[in-house]
Every structure is written in structure tokens, then in C-alpha cells.
Amino acid sequence: LLQRKELKLQRDELKETREEFKIQNETLKIQRFENTFFNLLNQHHQIVNSIDFRYYKSKEKEMEIRFISRSMLDKNQPPAEEKEVVIINGRDVFRFRYNKMKNDISKAPKDHVEIYLNHYMQAQTDFGHYFRNLYRMIKQVDQTDFFYDATKVSSEQIFKIKYKYTSIIRAQISDYELLWLFYNCISNNGIEKFKPYIEKYSFFKNIPKEHLADPSHTNLYLEKAYLPER
């Protein structure tokens, strides 16, 4: 009888030890995930900050009287011009490039994919890296197994944890980045792999729909892409 009691105590103690091990394992798993996740998030900010764009803006050239030739004394002679270099950085690049793209798409809303790809090709060096890193972050969240034994946790609980991390990512994205992402994920660049994540995690909850090139384009995504906080 004493042996049976002792064996029962040992089994109970072993069971508690296994449960503690599971908890520790899950904690370590989350810590490893968060180390990678926040490193990727930091890399995202570095990518955004490293993006720059230069364009030339015309300005009237001031001319001293002594350099004006007789031919330039003609009243119909247009003033000489020179180019001024304008440099923009970071998120301002998304705004500047998007406004140009929006203007083109609004003239031919049905050709949005082709027009987007033309503009993307001009910015591919910077934006390609940006979209790949963003996709990698969201994919990592979606594919991470946060629990030692996922069969004992409801799918709703698992989704809430993943949604929390994708919300952290979404909070780092500016309006014009979201607008670029909107058209990227309905092009060949993202429609197969990236777009399902956008819809699954309601990534366009805060997108400024009024700045889309055409109001009808909201129908290009499932309604759950715009759902409020879950």
C-alpha cells in the first residue's frame, strides 16, 4: 500500500514536471520568435529610412545684366532656366511616387495592374526589398507554432495571438505605404501569396480608402481585409 502511494506521488510529480517543461518550452519558443520578429521589424524601419528619390525641378535662372546678349533683349525671349535637384527620403518617397501613380490609374482604372507594374519597375530597387521584408514578417507570424501542444488550444486563441503580432506590423505602416501595398497585392507581385495574408489579418483596417485611385477598387479585396479590430 505504501509503495502504491509512493508510486502515485511519483507519477503526479512527473506529470507536474512535464507540464512545467511544456510551459518553459512555450516561453522559450515565444522568446525566440520575438527576437527574430523584432529584428525584422527593426530592419523594416532601416529599409524605409534608406529609401530616397531625386528629381529635378525647374527654376528661373537669375542673370546679371552684363551677361545678357543682344538676342536675349527680345521681349519674346523666354527666361533661361536651370534644374534644381530635390531629394526626398523615407516615407515621403511613398507619398510622392503614389500621387504620380494615382494620377495615371485614375485616368484608366481598369488598367490598374499594368500601370502599377510600370511604376513599380521605376522603384523596384527600393520597393522590391521593402515588400519582400514585409511579406517575410507576416509569413513568419502566420507559420509560427506558438504552443507545445497546439491540439489543446482553440484555433481562435491561436489566431488572436497571430493577429496581435500582425497588428504590431500594421501600426508601423504609413498611409501611403498601405496604398502602395494595396496595388502591389493585386498585381502579379502579390496576388497569389501576399494578398491572402492581407485579407486574413485585416491589414487594410486603417487604409485611407478616399485616396485610392478609384473607389471601385475596394471590391478587389474580400471584405474581411477592412474589418475593424477583432
Side-chain angles (χ1 to χ4, degrees):
L1 181 61
L2 289 173
Q3 287 177 342
R4 284 200 299 271
K5 288 183 177 179
E6 186 176 350
L7 287 172
K8 184 178 183 301
L9 289 172
Q10 288 177 354
R11 286 195 296 269
D12 291 342
E13 185 177 351
L14 184 60
K15 183 179 179 180
E16 290 177 0
T17 301
R18 285 199 298 267
E19 290 300 321
E20 289 179 3
F21 174 77
K22 289 179 182 179
I23 295 172
Q24 290 175 357
N25 190 42
E26 288 173 1
T27 301
L28 289 172
K29 187 180 291 187
I30 291 175
Q31 287 177 347
R32 286 195 298 267
F33 162 79
E34 289 193 342
N35 285 337
T36 304
F37 176 79
F38 287 107
N39 282 336
L40 287 172
L41 201 60
N42 183 58
Q43 186 178 356
H44 170 82
H45 291 299
Q46 292 177 2
I47 292 171
V48 172
N49 292 333
S50 67
I51 294 174
D52 60 12
F53 178 70
R54 302 184 180 197
Y55 66 96
Y56 294 94
K57 180 180 178 182
S58 297
K59 68 174 184 177
E60 291 188 0
K61 183 178 181 181
E62 297 180 359
M63 299 175 295
E64 295 183 10
I65 299 296
R66 62 177 180 273
F67 291 122
I68 300 179
S69 63
R70 289 186 178 180
S71 61
M72 297 176 66
L73 293 176
D74 184 358
K75 293 182 180 180
N76 296 322
Q77 180 75 23
E81 292 184 350
E82 66 177 3
K83 300 292 185 179
E84 177 186 4
V85 179
V86 179
I87 304 174
I88 53 178
N89 302 93
R91 290 184 166 87
D92 287 337
V93 178
F94 287 91
R95 176 181 56 80
F96 181 84
R97 284 191 176 275
Y98 178 77
N99 286 330
K100 292 181 66 178
M101 179 175 69
K102 177 185 176 182
N103 184 57
D104 290 343
I105 294 178
S106 62
K107 296 175 183 176
K110 293 183 179 180
D111 298 329
H112 55 84
V113 172
E114 181 181 353
I115 295 171
Y116 168 79
L117 290 174
N118 287 336
H119 281 267
Y120 173 79
M121 288 300 295
Q122 298 173 26
Q124 185 174 4
T125 302
D126 290 325
F127 285 11
H129 188 192
Y130 171 90
F131 286 125
R132 286 192 298 271
N133 189 70
L134 187 58
Y135 171 76
R136 182 184 172 195
M137 278 195 290
I138 299 175
K139 181 181 179 181
Q140 185 201 23
V141 172
D142 184 75
Q143 295 187 347
T144 296
D145 180 11
F146 290 94
F147 297 97
Y148 183 81
D149 188 356
T151 60
K152 295 184 178 180
V153 185
S154 70
S155 58
E156 184 179 353
Q157 287 177 295
I158 295 174
F159 177 80
K160 284 184 177 179
I161 291 174
K162 294 182 178 182
Y163 188 87
K164 179 188 73 173
Y165 286 107
T166 58
S167 296
I168 293 173
I169 299 172
R170 188 180 66 234
Q172 315 301 312
I173 309 297
S174 68
D175 287 352
Y176 286 97
E177 289 173 75
L178 285 175
L179 291 164
W180 263 95
L181 183 62
F182 182 96
Y183 287 101
N184 179 77
C185 290
I186 51 177
S187 73
N188 297 337
N189 292 344
I191 195 166
E192 292 185 5
K193 295 181 178 181
F194 209 159
K195 184 173 180 282
Y197 288 144
I198 297 299
E199 294 171 332
K200 180 177 181 179
Y201 294 108
S202 304
F203 214 77
F204 290 151
K205 182 175 79 78
N206 298 318
I207 193 170
K209 295 180 182 179
E210 66 276 11
H211 291 318
L212 292 174
D214 189 272
S216 66
H217 289 169
T218 56
N219 299 325
L220 297 171
Y221 285 85
L222 297 177
E223 186 178 355
K224 62 182 180 179
Y226 312 105
L227 287 177
E229 202 74 36
R230 301 189 191 183

